[in-house]
Structure formats: structure tokens, C-alpha cells
Amino acid sequence: MALGDTSEQDRKYSEAATEFGPALERLARGYEANPDKRRDLVQDIHFALWRSLEAFDGRCSLRTWVYRVAHNTATTHILKERRQRGNGWLALDEDWPGEGPGIEDTVHEQQALARLTAMIQRLQPQDRQIMLLYLENVDASGIGEITGLKPPNVATKIHRIKALLQRQFHQGERP
Amino acid sequence: MTDEPETDLQNLWQEQPAQSPIIDLKALHRRAEKFQSRLFWRNTREYIAAAFIGAAFCYEVIVRKDIYMRGGFLLSLLGVAFYAFILHTRGRADREGLPAAGEDCFNFHRKALAHQRDLLRAVWLWGILPLVPGFVALLGRQAVLHPENIQKILMAIGWIFLLFSGVIWLNVWAAGRMQKRIDELDGVDRRIEMGKPGKWNALFFRPSQKAGQVPFRKLDPIKPPTVFNMKMAVIVFVLVAGLLVLVLVPLMAGVRR
């Protein structure tokens, strides 16, 4: 089946993919641990983004739009996966098992990154969205715009994220 | 708490090696074409199946001599036509009822859940009810014509009733689960503001609410999918009225005989 004229959509997509491609790849890591499934998820996100840009009218920034599409696609993916695997998720304010070393050197950095990724993959969807956006340096109002949560509640969530990260990675105890 | 340690983790996260995206527009176009073509063939398959079944019922309507059996098959034909109409509108309902991927995450998931819930709740209307008048009319007439087979006919009715009830129950149960997830989503903002409701907070919640649930925040009403509109209600009414006429008349004729 032939598509219509997609040149404008293609241009917007190229712009978005160039600017946010690496961030979308990192986002997929927070949602899918299996490398093959993660590759598929990245492709799904890019396809959803390309399709969605047909309807993008500039009412929000391109960054907000890209993150919304990516998180919506990835959350739909994990909800489907959960139905198949029945994995349990944790909220930010629950008791998280185990603590590990802080980030003092390269070896610890790699361990910390692996642990951080594993921790994100256990978060319930909404907390995961906020955590990933926080790690990408998106501010509270931007997170609110993307997730649909009220800004004060985003601030509360970010406070919990900081507390959790501090507990898990001994933040603040570095020499 | 200073900002520096958090920045470390943010830096660590952002500096991890990530592949640069390969922007293959041709691959995206191919995928979009495949996607459109899959939808087209899905719809075509369903229309062809409905046309085959409809043709079989048409044949019965023409060749049967018994006017009530003709009526039964005509009702079945109408049921199939109704079902085909639902399939036709389903494509539109999918497009209109489902949220756009660029909506904020909260609304996107709430609308997607509400769309699925509404489809599940109404399965009796679009999946079961169109078939019932034809079944009842045909089996009722058989009972009148062959009273010696009444036990078999009653058994068949019983099995069909059980099957339909089971399908409806399963769908309503699944719709209930969707509603629970919607309620959880609706409570998110309030839960963050108020914390989890404890002994004292519980005083301010409706008694029917379970612990952990909170009053819903006000949301834009969700438009029901296109399949549940007035046209449908009129068609259902006509079908049910036809059923009553076609079942009661032969039964009364049988009683007189």
C-alpha cells in the first residue's frame, strides 16, 4: 500500500532522531533488559515517533513530544510483557533490597550503572518515567508536561528519587 | 543534600555508550506500508467471512418453505449484517477511541484502558446479542415442529446459554480489572499529595473505598467509542422486536395445533 507525501514528516523525524536518538536508546535500556527485545523496542519507538509526527502541530516542544511518544510506547511494551511474565514492580517509597558501593572509580562506575539500570527496570511504570526523565536532566515542569502529573507532585517524586538514590549509592559519603 | 552527587549519577547515566541512531527512512516507510496492508487484509478477511455466512443464511431464507424457519434465518442474517457493521465501525472506533501517542503519559494510558474497558463491557451488545434472536427463533420453531426432540433442543439451548454467559462473564471480569487500573491511575496525584491513607485519613474516604484508594481527581470525560451510539440501539431494538414476533407467533400456532 503506497504512502502519501511524507517529506515533512520525514524531515521532522530526522531532526528528532538526530537530537534525541541516544536518549531514546538509554530510555529503552530502562524499560527492557533483554538485548534482542530492547533492539525491537528501540525500533518500535522510532516507528511510533515517525507515525506520530504526522500529527505534531507544535503545541508543545519537540522534546516533550518525543519523550511522550517514547515513554508511552515503552510503557505499553512493559505492560504487555508483564501480562506474559507477571513481573512485580516496586514504587519509589517502598523498601528496596540491598545497598552497593558508591561511584568512586571506573569499576565501581560500571557496577553502579548496571545496578542503576536494574533498579530502574524494577520501578513501576510511572515512577520509572519520572526517574528516567530526572536522569536525563529534564526539570520538574518538563516532567509534569510529559507525564501529566501536577508539578508539586513531580517535585515530591523527585525528592523520593533523590532519597532512594542516596540510600542505594551512598551518595554524599564520597571522599 | 547537595546537587553534586545526583549530578554524578545523571552524568553516569547520560555518558553511558549509546549507539547513534541509524535513520533509515526507507525502512520506516516499508514498515508503515506493511502496517497499513495488515489492517486492510484483516478487515478484508473479516468481511469475506461475514459475506460467506451471510450468503449461506440467504440461501436458507430463499429455499425454506416454512415461513417461520425463513424468519429465523432472516434474523440470523440480520445478526451477521449487524456484526459486519460493528467490524466496519471498529476500525474507526480504534482510531477515534485510542489516544494519540503524543498525549501526556497519564492521559494516554487512562484513555487506552478506558477504550479497552468499554469494548469489553459491551461485548454482550456487539458480540452476543446479534446472534441470539436467530438462534432462539430457529430453535423455538424446531421445538414446535418436532416436540419429540424437545429434550435435545432444551439441552442445546442450555449449552448455548452457558457458553454466552461464560463469554459475557469473562469480559465483564476483564473490564472490572481495567477499571481497577483506571482507579489506581486516577488516585495517583491525590496519593502523592496525601500519602497513603491511614487510620485518620480513612475517615474522609467513602466507606466503599478500600484502603489505599483515594477520591478520583476530576478528568475530562472520555467519549465512548463509536460502536455504542443511537443507531446501534435502534438496530438492537428492531432485532429484539422481530424476535418477539417471530417466536411468539409460531409458539402460539403450535399451542393451537
Side-chain angles (χ1 to χ4, degrees):
Chain A
M1 299 209 125
L3 297 170
D5 179 23
T6 58
S7 52
E8 182 58 19
Q9 197 178 341
D10 291 349
R11 189 191 61 73
K12 283 182 200 161
Y13 167 74
S14 302
E15 190 189 321
T18 308
E19 193 175 346
F20 299 101
L24 295 182
E25 177 125 358
R26 290 194 291 272
L27 183 146
R29 284 180 194 175
Y31 279 95
E32 181 56 67
N34 179 309
D36 290 336
K37 286 186 178 177
R38 189 163 61 230
R39 209 168 29 246
D40 290 345
L41 176 61
V42 171
Q43 285 181 13
D44 288 347
I45 290 172
H46 278 270
F47 182 57
L49 178 60
W50 179 79
R51 280 185 67 205
S52 75
L53 286 169
E54 193 186 359
F56 178 62
D57 54 6
R59 246 180 290 177
C60 59
S61 69
L62 183 65
R63 183 187 73 160
T64 299
W65 185 271
V66 170
Y67 277 129
R68 279 177 178 177
V69 173
H71 278 289
N72 285 335
T73 309
T75 305
T76 305
H77 167 82
I78 55 163
L79 289 174
K80 244 187 246 172
E81 287 284 310
R82 186 175 74 155
R83 275 202 287 276
Q84 287 165 12
R85 292 199 300 235
N87 287 347
W89 289 319
L90 291 174
L92 285 169
D93 51 1
E94 285 180 62
D95 290 331
W96 283 75
E99 285 180 12
I103 317 164
E104 288 90 13
D105 52 41
T106 313
V107 177
H108 279 151
E109 266 187 18
Q110 285 173 358
Q111 282 177 358
L113 185 60
R115 227 151 34 81
L116 177 63
T117 309
M119 199 179 91
I120 293 167
Q121 287 166 356
R122 288 193 67 189
L123 277 170
Q124 61 183 31
Q126 197 175 48
D127 289 347
R128 198 180 311 202
Q129 289 160 4
I130 296 168
M131 171 76 94
L132 284 165
L133 290 165
Y134 166 76
L135 288 171
E136 291 291 343
N137 259 346
V138 179
D139 60 18
S141 69
I143 293 176
E145 214 184 338
I146 293 163
T147 58
L149 276 182
K150 292 179 196 163
N153 294 337
V154 174
T156 308
K157 286 270 186 188
I158 289 175
H159 177 75
R160 286 179 189 165
I161 286 173
K162 286 176 179 174
L164 176 65
L165 292 177
Q166 196 173 25
R167 281 199 306 275
Q168 292 285 314
F169 295 91
H170 296 287
Q171 295 290 302
E173 291 178 13
R174 296 178 61 224
Chain B
M1 189 164 57
T2 62
D3 284 332
E4 198 203 344
E6 296 143 22
T7 311
D8 276 354
L9 274 176
Q10 284 172 326
N11 283 342
L12 184 69
W13 179 256
Q14 287 172 39
E15 282 168 8
Q16 63 180 305
Q19 285 174 350
S20 296
I22 301 160
I23 304 168
D24 187 353
L25 287 168
K26 278 186 185 162
L28 284 174
H29 293 173
R30 272 199 304 277
R31 194 167 164 181
E33 283 167 2
K34 225 170 154 180
F35 180 74
Q36 280 185 3
S37 144
R38 205 168 56 228
L39 281 183
F40 172 79
W41 285 112
R42 185 198 74 178
N43 291 342
T44 307
R45 260 198 320 272
E46 287 171 348
Y47 291 142
I48 289 173
F52 263 112
I53 298 167
F57 285 142
C58 259
Y59 174 78
E60 294 288 347
V61 171
I62 293 164
V63 300
R64 291 278 173 170
K65 293 209 170 76
D66 184 282
I67 184 90
Y68 300 111
M69 288 300 280
R70 274 184 174 187
F73 280 111
L74 187 64
L75 274 178
S76 302
L77 182 63
L78 282 175
V80 171
F82 180 79
Y83 193 70
F85 176 62
I86 296 286
L87 289 179
H88 174 70
T89 53
R90 193 183 65 184
R92 206 173 51 195
D94 278 353
R95 281 193 302 278
E96 290 173 5
L98 284 175
E103 280 207 55
D104 69 59
C105 302
F106 179 88
N107 270 319
F108 177 86
H109 291 289
R110 193 182 189 282
K111 284 185 182 175
L113 287 169
H115 178 73
Q116 288 173 31
R117 176 204 62 196
D118 291 345
L119 281 177
L120 289 167
R121 263 186 195 165
V123 78
W124 66 272
L125 178 63
W126 59 268
I128 305 281
L129 200 64
L131 304 173
V132 170
F135 267 127
V136 175
L138 288 171
L139 288 171
R141 185 60 182 160
Q142 284 295 323
V144 171
L145 291 176
H146 305 286
E148 69 278 10
N149 289 339
I150 191 73
Q151 273 185 330
K152 284 181 189 168
I153 291 167
L154 284 175
M155 200 174 276
I157 290 172
W159 280 115
I160 291 168
F161 177 78
L162 273 180
L163 179 72
F164 284 175
S165 307
V167 170
I168 292 170
W169 183 82
L170 275 176
N171 281 279
V172 169
W173 175 77
R177 289 190 62 181
M178 295 283 163
Q179 184 58 51
K180 262 188 196 163
R181 284 166 62 187
I182 292 170
D183 292 347
E184 279 168 23
L185 266 181
D186 286 353
V188 163
D189 263 342
R190 290 298 297 270
R191 257 202 303 276
I192 300 166
E193 281 164 16
M194 303 170 74
K196 286 181 181 170
K199 193 167 65 174
W200 297 107
N201 281 348
L203 288 174
F204 301 100
F205 299 123
R206 287 198 303 270
S208 59
Q209 284 179 318
K210 290 174 191 163
Q213 287 186 331
V214 291
F216 307 151
R217 73 179 194 183
K218 288 240 183 320
L219 292 156
D220 295 336
I222 292 167
K223 274 201 299 183
T226 321
V227 283
F228 319 116
N229 57 21
M230 278 307 289
K231 272 188 215 160
M232 299 288 171
V234 171
I235 295 171
V236 169
F237 177 76
V238 171
L239 280 174
V240 174
L243 162 80
L244 284 175
V245 172
L246 280 161
V247 171
L248 288 178
V249 171
L251 282 178
M252 282 165 69
V255 170
R256 270 195 219 124
R257 228 178 4 183

